[in-house]
Amino acid sequence: MKREVPLIITAIFGCFMVIDFFVPHPLVSSIGETLQQWAIIVVAFAYVLGVANIARISGQKISRRSRDWFYQFPLLAGLVFMLTVGVVWGVGERTLFNDFYLYAYSPMQGTMFSLLAFFIASAAFRAFRLRSFEAALLAIAAIIVMLGRVPVGTLMWDKLPVVSDWIMNVPQMAAKRAIMIGAALGAISTGLKIILGIERNYLGGE
Amino acid sequence: MNKSRHLLIITATFFFSSLGLAPGALGDGFEPPSGLVSRDTRGDGGGSITLTWERSPSDVQQGAQRTKITYEIFRSVSRDTGFSLVGSVPAGTTAYVDADSGQDHRVENNRNYFYRVRLTDGLAYSAAALTGPVSARSNWFDPARANILIVIVVFFILIFIYIRRASRGASLFVRKIAGLDAIEEAVGRATEMGKPVLYVPGIDDVNNIQTIYSMVILGNVAKLVARYGTPLIVPVCRAFVVPLAEETVKQGYLDAGHPEAYNPNNIRYLSDEQFAFTAGVDGIMMREKPAANLFLGSFFAESLILAETGFSTGAIQIAGTANIHQLPFFVVACDYTLIGEEFFAATAYLSGDPKLVGTLKGSDWMKILLMLALVTGALLETFGVTSFTRWFTAQ
């Protein structure tokens, strides 16, 4: 029963959501909306599990004096602080919670994101090394596309933007759409497998 | 003279507006729209009526010059009186959907309505064309999505055929997928080095099919690491994924016969925030130096940050995602990349289960059908036939 009940629930609600896509009648769509609201409520409860997971793992690291255990203090302090500030003073605009989010967390997030520029440079350096015929093609195409999108490229050859656009709109787009179609079919067949219970590994063992 | 004429028009407008809508013509030569038709809006949940008409000759002749010309749409429950303005559309428009007109003006299902449409420039107006009675109703099927339904039904039939064939013992060829073969190699390498395996199931929630499928692959990876006795670290970005990952890994260890090796502390919820999670995973990679990093799931801008950090630690890296914008990053920074559909082929490939392999073959045949449709559509478009490609338009 531990496996059958979840499989039955998955099949019923999975089929219902597929029907909801094709049937606009309020009788069906209102149930679909209710189910989605249930999902939001269930997800909200999951945050309790998330916080419990952090507290348990961090607490054990501190109690066992595991490697780098002292980093768990700022983590737990941040968690408790933001939770307290949010519960006591609210989370809307012009609140302490919002201020900390905007002036403490957002800059840190921006810093993390900005690392991407350096990583793109290092990854591109490796990708564009001419180790094979395919790598050479990639490098040449990349150089044309990059030059075609900056003014200096137009100065070098006024047809460069046209060639660049052709690469992006024809071979690049064709390859991208082929991958998209394959991925979409894979996603649909996975959905079918899960709804029908053919794919059940995510529920545990046999 | 001109001033008194305008005064007369304004006075008449107010007079007739107070009565409802004037059916007669008051315009300076405006002609009404013709062919006014009203019907229930197809394929909706009700509360909506669609009107169509042919452009007034005045609109056709003068529309380009007179930008203030609009069609005004009036509605009433009576044929003769009580019309009120529900909307207006610019000259050149030939359709209007009466819906969401506010609580006081909303269209009720199964109630008869009459509509009048006239052309006006704000001062003068044409006679109003009348249509009705018409009523809105809730529909049980959206015909605009019939094409999607047909394609899905064909796809499902193909999958069922091949599942049946595979179940009866037919030999179905599945091409070699290097990235999936490499998973065992990566786990073996981690075992030899005495270092853990890192498995990142993406940053999306369980409502994304990639996250669910990542859990399926995680189950297989958990069995592998349990057999080899290698620690498995699973950082999680979404709170809801935590219990799913815990159960999946625990069951993997159980299936492999090593439940005692399961360490719940290795399923680590880090943060729901994208870059906080990224920083956390980077920290794990730098501190615990996993020998194998598996990035399988839905990834976004953090993909290259993760993969480059993993590259700098010297780990063998296998990635797989259906988010095509992140694929180039993974291809560049990882040793193996599962591209799009390869990601969804993982369990069929790894388990060899006939039912799962059957779904792969069904997908392959669907791709062949779609390729034929693409070629046919391209040829027909070349010769000016557009109905075939239009049929594939998704609503």
Side-chain angles (χ1 to χ4, degrees), chain B residues 25-108:
Chain B
L26 268 179
D28 51 352
F30 280 171
E31 292 183 55
S34 57
L36 179 63
V37 174
S38 57
R39 59 176 168 76
D40 170 48
T41 304
R42 293 170 69 199
D44 71 344
S48 164
I49 289 169
T50 300
L51 304 173
T52 54
W53 60 84
E54 287 168 21
R55 288 171 69 188
S56 153
S58 309
D59 173 20
V60 175
Q61 290 163 10
Q62 302 178 46
Q65 288 82 36
R66 305 183 68 167
T67 53
K68 288 184 179 172
I69 293 179
T70 57
Y71 289 99
E72 289 182 334
I73 296 96
F74 297 83
R75 186 180 69 206
S76 172
V77 291
S78 164
R79 174 183 286 271
D80 303 316
T81 57
F83 281 88
S84 58
L85 184 71
V86 289
S88 64
V89 288
T93 312
T94 58
Y96 179 77
V97 178
D98 184 17
D100 302 326
S101 314
Q103 191 63 30
D104 296 335
H105 296 287
R106 70 188 175 88
V107 177
E108 291 174 27

Side-chain angles (χ1 to χ4, degrees), chain A residues 21-22 24-26 42 47 50 53-54 56 60 67-68 105 113 122-123 126 176 179-180 190 199 204-205, chain B residues 45 138-140 142 145 212-213 216 240 246 251 255 264-265 267 269 272-273 275 287 308 324 332 344 347:
Chain A
F21 181 77
F22 294 105
H25 199 282
V42 173
Y47 281 99
N53 181 285
I54 289 178
R56 189 188 73 227
Q60 284 181 1
R67 190 181 164 203
D68 300 329
Y105 175 71
F113 192 23
S122 63
R126 283 203 311 280
K176 198 160 90 175
I179 295 171
M180 280 169 70
T190 301
E199 186 76 82
Chain B
S138 302
N139 295 283
W140 285 99
D142 183 359
R145 289 178 173 174
I212 296 177
Y213 203 72
V216 174
F240 199 80
E246 284 177 344
Q251 193 63 51
D255 290 345
N265 290 343
I267 316 297
Y269 172 65
D272 266 52
E273 294 289 339
F275 288 104
R287 284 192 303 274
E308 276 295 282
I324 53 170
V332 167
F344 292 109
T347 49

Side-chain angles (χ1 to χ4, degrees), chain B residues 233-296:
Chain B
I233 301 171
V234 185
V236 181
C237 182
R238 300 285 170 178
F240 199 80
V241 180
V242 173
L244 206 58
E246 284 177 344
E247 284 303 311
T248 305
V249 174
K250 191 192 290 179
Q251 193 63 51
Y253 277 83
L254 199 64
D255 290 345
H258 300 285
E260 76 291 344
Y262 169 67
N263 181 0
N265 290 343
N266 281 343
I267 316 297
R268 302 174 191 172
Y269 172 65
L270 299 179
S271 170
D272 266 52
E273 294 289 339
Q274 180 182 20
F275 288 104
F277 173 77
T278 309
V281 177
D282 278 1
I284 291 171
M285 283 195 264
M286 297 309 291
R287 284 192 303 274
E288 306 189 31
K289 296 275 191 297
N293 297 334
L294 310 179
F295 306 110
L296 299 166

Side-chain angles (χ1 to χ4, degrees), chain A residues 2 20-28 39 42-43 46-47 49-51 53-54 56-57 60-61 64 67-68 71 75 101 105 108-109 112-113 115-116 119-120 122-124 126-127 176-177 179-183 185-194 196 198-199 201-206, chain B residues 43-45 138-142 145 148-149 152 155-156 159-160 163 209 212-213 216 220 239-240 242-244 246 248 251 255 264-265 267-270 272-273 275-276 278-279 282 287 301 304-305 308-309 311 322 324-325 327 329 332-333 339-341 344 347 355-356 359 363 366-367 370:
Chain A
K2 187 191 166 192
D20 183 41
F21 181 77
F22 294 105
V23 179
H25 199 282
L27 203 65
V28 176
V42 173
V43 167
Y47 281 99
L49 295 176
V51 171
N53 181 285
I54 289 178
R56 189 188 73 227
I57 294 171
Q60 284 181 1
K61 278 191 176 176
R64 290 173 188 170
R67 190 181 164 203
D68 300 329
Y71 288 127
L75 174 72
Y101 189 88
Y105 175 71
M108 287 192 281
Q109 178 170 255
M112 200 65 206
F113 192 23
L115 284 177
L116 193 59
F119 284 139
I120 283 177
S122 63
R126 283 203 311 280
K176 198 160 90 175
R177 285 183 178 166
I179 295 171
M180 280 169 70
I181 290 171
L185 290 177
I188 295 169
S189 70
T190 301
L192 179 72
K193 284 185 280 185
I194 288 170
L196 296 181
I198 297 169
E199 186 76 82
N201 284 7
Y202 69 103
L203 288 173
E206 297 302 321
Chain B
D44 71 344
S138 302
N139 295 283
W140 285 99
F141 182 64
D142 183 359
R145 289 178 173 174
I148 300 173
L149 183 64
I152 286 181
F155 185 33
F156 283 7
I159 285 178
F160 282 122
I163 286 176
I209 193 79
I212 296 177
Y213 203 72
V216 174
N220 286 288
F240 199 80
V242 173
L244 206 58
E246 284 177 344
T248 305
Q251 193 63 51
D255 290 345
N265 290 343
I267 316 297
R268 302 174 191 172
Y269 172 65
L270 299 179
D272 266 52
E273 294 289 339
F275 288 104
T278 309
D282 278 1
R287 284 192 303 274
L304 190 64
I305 298 176
E308 276 295 282
T309 307
F311 178 84
I324 53 170
H325 291 100
L327 280 172
F329 297 138
V332 167
I339 297 173
E341 59 182 328
F344 292 109
T347 49
K355 285 181 181 171
L356 297 175
T359 61
S363 299
M366 192 65 207
K367 267 179 271 173
L370 288 176

